[in-house]
Amino acid sequence: MKLRVNGQDMQLDVDPEMPLLWALRDELGVTGPKYGCGIAQCGACTVHVDGLAVRSCQMNVGSMEDGADVTTIEGLGQPGALHAVQEAWIEHQVAQCGYCQSGQIMQAANLLDLNDDPDDATIDAVMSANLCRCGTYPRIRAAIKTAAQKLREA
C-alpha cells in the first residue's frame, strides 16, 4: 500500500488489519501520534487523513485509499514555520505533561480548517473528544481562539 505521509510518498507492506497508528509509529518511525486508549476515546492518536481528523488507533490501513494523504503533528508545521495552532499553543503555554498535545493540536487544526471562527460551544463540542489529564482545557480554548484570529488575519 502507498501512503503520502507528511508530504512524502511511503510504501507499506503490512497486514491490512494493522491500525494506522502502529503503521506510522512502528513501520515508518513517525512517533508524534501517541497510543492512549486504543479505542478512539482519548484522541492522543489523532492525525489527518485526506484533510479530516481521525483516530489512527482505530483506522486500519486496509480501509484507506491507496495513496491517502496522512498528516501528523510532524507534518503540520516546521521549525521556523509553525502552524498557527502550534504558535498559539506555545503562546498560551497549553502543554503540561504534553502526552495528549499532538492529538489536541491536530484536532484543533482540523476544527479551524472547517470553521475559521468557532465559538466556545463549538470548540468545547469538537475538543471534548480529546482528553487531557492535566486539565488544560481553558488554555486549549484560548489557544484555539488565538489561532483562529491569526489564520483569519493571514
Side-chain angles (χ1 to χ4, degrees):
M1 151 163 252
K2 190 187 321 181
L3 296 176
R4 186 161 183 78
V5 179
N6 298 327
Q8 295 184 350
D9 290 328
M10 304 281 192
Q11 190 69 37
L12 281 173
D13 184 19
V14 298
D15 182 335
E17 296 299 312
M18 177 182 276
L20 176 59
L21 177 62
W22 300 128
L24 291 169
R25 291 183 61 83
D26 295 345
E27 301 295 322
L28 301 177
V30 179
T31 58
K34 305 295 186 222
Y35 176 79
C37 66
I39 57 172
Q41 296 298 305
C42 73
C45 67
T46 303
V47 300
H48 296 174
V49 174
D50 294 328
L52 294 175
V54 300
R55 303 298 193 252
S56 62
C57 72
Q58 289 294 299
M59 176 173 264
N60 295 337
V61 293
S63 70
M64 300 173 66
E65 296 285 328
D66 196 42
D69 186 30
V70 178
T71 304
T72 69
I73 191 72
E74 291 91 343
L76 189 63
Q78 301 300 316
L82 296 178
H83 187 280
V85 173
Q86 292 168 312
E87 289 176 352
W89 242 246
I90 293 167
E91 182 180 329
H92 288 274
Q93 298 181 6
V94 172
Q96 285 186 21
C97 83
Y99 195 81
C100 71
Q101 295 307 302
S102 65
Q104 297 277 2
I105 289 169
M106 296 305 290
Q107 186 70 47
N110 189 238
L111 165 61
L112 296 179
D113 285 344
L114 301 172
N115 180 344
D116 71 350
D117 193 16
D119 59 17
D120 287 350
T122 300
I123 293 170
D124 293 348
V126 170
M127 298 304 295
S128 68
N130 288 67
L131 302 178
C132 174
R133 289 182 57 167
C134 300
T136 64
Y137 300 111
R139 287 186 276 179
I140 288 169
R141 185 190 300 149
I144 291 171
K145 287 183 169 202
T146 296
Q149 183 176 347
K150 288 179 185 216
L151 289 168
R152 286 192 308 271
E153 291 172 356

